[in-house]
Structure formats: structure tokens, C-alpha cells
Amino acid sequence: MSEQFDIAVIGSGAAGIAAAVCAARAGRNTLLLDKNNSAGGTGGFSGLTTLCGLCDDTGNFLNDGFAKEFAGAIAETAPLQMGKAWVLPYRQEKFRAIAEKFFADESKLQTRWNTLLANVVVENNRIISLNDFVVGAVIDCSGSAEVARKIGIECLETDETTQASAVIFPLHNVVREMLTSAAAAQVLLPLARAGFPSVNFQSNLEPNSVTVKFAGSPEQVPSLIEFLRATIHGFENCSTPLKKSSVARRAGRMIVGEYVLTGADVLAAKKFPDAAAKCAWPVEQWNAAGKTRLRYLPPGEHYEIPARSLRAAKIKNLFMAGKTISADVDAIASARVMGCCLATGAAAGILAADYLDCAKQQ
Ligand SMILES: Cc1cc2nc3c(=O)[nH]c(=O)nc-3n(C[C@H](O)[C@H](O)[C@H](O)COP(=O)(O)OP(=O)(O)OC[C@H]3O[C@@H](n4cnc5c(N)ncnc54)[C@H](O)[C@@H]3O)c2cc1C
């Protein structure tokens, strides 16, 4: 007979980690499945070093529960102000290790690594099995709506015009202040004049180091570093420890749910009676030339994500979290940051457990 799970979570990035732990804590036998060989997703493997979307514009945590707990466990400093927003610098190794520690504490959670989502069987608008496991509910945390793709339900998509990809890599031995806009401009101008695609510098926890988000290709990274070493004061000895860089994709696919969160909801700081998570991150769009467009919420405000945006419209036992929530291209440009993915993941884990309780009573 096939193995049975109450809840299956597909994808173990920020959203999937939160969803799986919260579903297991709600007493449900939970399966976490990922095509990678361990947990982390974009937050654990892309080179990112700042966790965004945890705080309001005064630096206070917006979501209690697992998002705050996970952030507290990986934190090595308090959140830092970056312009009008706040970010938590973190190390990717610690992000992955803390996820494993949370999993080890949950006796009702099982993981399956190196496992691609394969067959998904639907009957009477419910998923009844997945990869031959019998399942009661499913949470799609794949970042690209892989469950929805398998069963052919309606999705929305971002693209390279608003959520362009980037190469992310650390740059060590940088002996120059880089993290204010004025300081960065002195470096960015000569790079632009030399014809390099757009570059963005972010903080990380290593001394004399910055994290680079580069709109060019992985093949252009060595010439970018060579140019910095040859021409920019303070970068003479800079280098990256990465042997090979790769492209990280911002663009995702969102599953249409009972409610589609819009960019207008985000910018109006809309509140909902069925609020499941809060976020105050701006609508952050990147075009293919690497130019950012940031649209902020009113000062002191946050918006809410309703539970209906975490429930698929057409499939009764399908939930979503992270980059796959039911949101339009503007709303996901805010809600895709990891602090928000942790919060929607935690909420989806609890919603899926509640759904099973209700289904049992009927
Ligand atoms: C260039 C770039 C810069 C960014 N900068 C920041 C930043 O500074 N701060 C911030 O907070 N956020 C940033 N983000 C956004 C953030 O990293 C992601 O939106 C977030 O991590 C998404 O989390 P997730 O859990 O939804 O999905 P992911 O982290 O993408 O996790 C999805 C998981 O699903 C698995 N999966 C996918 N398909 C399958 C399948 N078919 N079968 C099995 N498993 C599957 C994957 O292996 C992966 O582990 C950035 C993103 C990009 C691309």
C-alpha cells in the first residue's frame, strides 16, 4: 500500500521550511519534498546575504510565530536599516543548518531530497496522491507553481521586464565604504561608463566584503572583477571565492487563489478580515537592464495577505506560500522577499492543518 501523509510540502526554500515545520507542529504527518539535496532554496543556495521583509519601517518585526523564530535563530546582528527598509544580514550556511535543526525537532516531519515532483492525481477537485504518496493536503512552495503546472490550473506569471534575473556573488577584500548610495555611486558610474550591465551592492556579515547583484551573465563576472581591481580605489585586491556563478531567477509563477492580491492592495496598505501574514516591503521591480523601481507603502504602514490568497481557487486541498501565492505581478514584487515567504509559509502550514480538521468533521 502507498505511504500516506496528511500534508505534503513541495519545495524547501524559506516558504517550504516554514510550511513544513508549522504543519508538523500542528500534529500532522508531513512530507517535505525537494529536487535539491537539502533545504534552503534561493535563500540557502543563491549567494543572497540579506533577509528582507521581516520588519516595518521602524525596524519592528511584523509577524510573530515562525518567521520571527527562524529570523532569531539565524540572526548574528539586529536588522539593519537600508534606505527606508530594514534587512537582516545572514549567512547561507547558517540558514541551511538552522532549517535542518528545526526539522530534526519535529517527529511528525519526514524529508525526501533529490526528489522531483512527478505525478499528481486529482479526483473531485482534490489532490489525492502525489509521487505515489497518498496525501490529505498539499502546499506548493516550489517558487514556480510546479503542482499547478502538473495539474494544469490557472496561474499568473512575472517576467524579465519586471522581475529580471541576476547573478549574485560575494566580493571579498573590498577596503572602501560601499553601502551608502553616494559611496556606491562613485563605483557604479565608472562601471556604467565602461559598458557593464547594472550592479547593485548589498551588505554581508564578512569583514571587508560586499554582496554583488549583477544584471550581466556569469561569463562577464571575471571581467567585472578585473575592471574593479584595475580601476577602482579600494578594490585592488578584491576577489570572489565562487568558482562558478549562476543566474538566480526572480520571476515566478503564482497560482490563482480565492483572492488575487494586487499591487494596489499593497500600496494602499490594505487590511483583510482573514489576514494570514503582514508585509511592508516596497513593490520592487527590476528590468532586464538591472534598473530598480521601488514603490513604497505610506509611512508607518503595512499590508496584509489574506488566507484566501494562500488557497487555490479550484483545488480544495491545495495551498500555496512564498513566491507562488495568489498575487499579481506588482504584489508579488513585494511579497516575494524572504521575510514574507517565511510568514506565508507558516500561515499555509496552519491553514492546511485546519482544512484537514474541517474535512474530518464533515
Ligand atoms: C536575484 C535575486 C535577488 C533577491 N534578493 C533578495 C534579498 O536580498 N532578500 C530577500 O529577502 N529576498 C530576495 N530575493 C527573493 C527571494 O530570494 C525569493 O523570492 C525567495 O527566497 C523565494 O522563496 P520560496 O520559498 O518561495 O522559493 P525558493 O526559495 O525558490 O524555493 C523553491 C524550492 O522548490 C524546489 N523545487 C522547485 N521545483 C521543484 C520540483 N519540480 N520538484 C521538487 N522541488 C522543486 C527548489 O529546489 C527550491 O528548493 C531575491 C531573489 C532573486 C532571484
Side-chain angles (χ1 to χ4, degrees), residues 11 14-15 34-35 42 48 50 52 117 213 249 323 336 338:
D34 200 299
K35 64 183 180 183
T42 312
L48 287 180
T50 49
C52 304
L117 177 65
K213 292 183 185 173
R249 304 213 171 275
K323 276 199 297 193
R336 70 179 173 80
M338 283 183 278

Side-chain angles (χ1 to χ4, degrees), residues 6-10 19 126-127 136-142 145 147-148 151 153 255-258 307-313 315-322 324-326 344-345 347-359:
D6 296 324
I7 297 174
V9 178
I10 312 307
R126 281 192 172 80
I127 297 174
V138 175
I139 310 176
D140 190 331
C141 299
S142 64
V147 178
I151 59 181
I153 58 172
I255 301 174
V256 173
E258 293 173 3
R308 283 165 295 152
S309 294
L310 309 186
R311 274 195 217 108
I315 301 292
K316 290 178 183 151
N317 61 348
L318 174 59
F319 299 81
M320 45 273 187
T324 61
I325 65 165
S326 177
T344 55
I350 295 163
L351 284 171
D354 288 350
Y355 161 82
L356 291 174
D357 286 339
C358 294

Side-chain angles (χ1 to χ4, degrees), residues 139-201:
I139 310 176
D140 190 331
C141 299
S142 64
S144 46
E146 296 305 324
V147 178
R149 196 202 294 264
K150 288 278 178 213
I151 59 181
I153 58 172
E154 193 187 353
C155 289
L156 299 165
E157 278 195 55
T158 60
D159 61 30
E160 294 286 307
T161 61
T162 61
Q163 294 297 309
S165 312
V167 180
I168 308 169
F169 60 93
L171 202 55
H172 294 336
N173 306 319
V174 176
V175 284
R176 169 182 182 127
E177 164 56 45
M178 282 302 302
L179 297 173
T180 66
S181 338
Q186 291 173 9
V187 178
L188 298 179
L189 207 59
L191 285 173
R193 283 198 187 119
F196 283 101
S198 170
V199 171
N200 181 278
F201 295 105

Side-chain angles (χ1 to χ4, degrees), residues 202-235:
Q202 294 214 309
S203 58
N204 68 38
L205 288 166
E206 307 306 327
N208 297 335
S209 177
V210 287
T211 297
V212 181
K213 292 183 185 173
F214 177 46
S217 66
E219 294 71 37
Q220 289 172 293
V221 171
S223 56
L224 174 75
I225 294 176
E226 202 42 57
F227 180 86
L228 287 166
R229 290 170 69 106
T231 56
I232 311 283
H233 175 61
F235 281 76

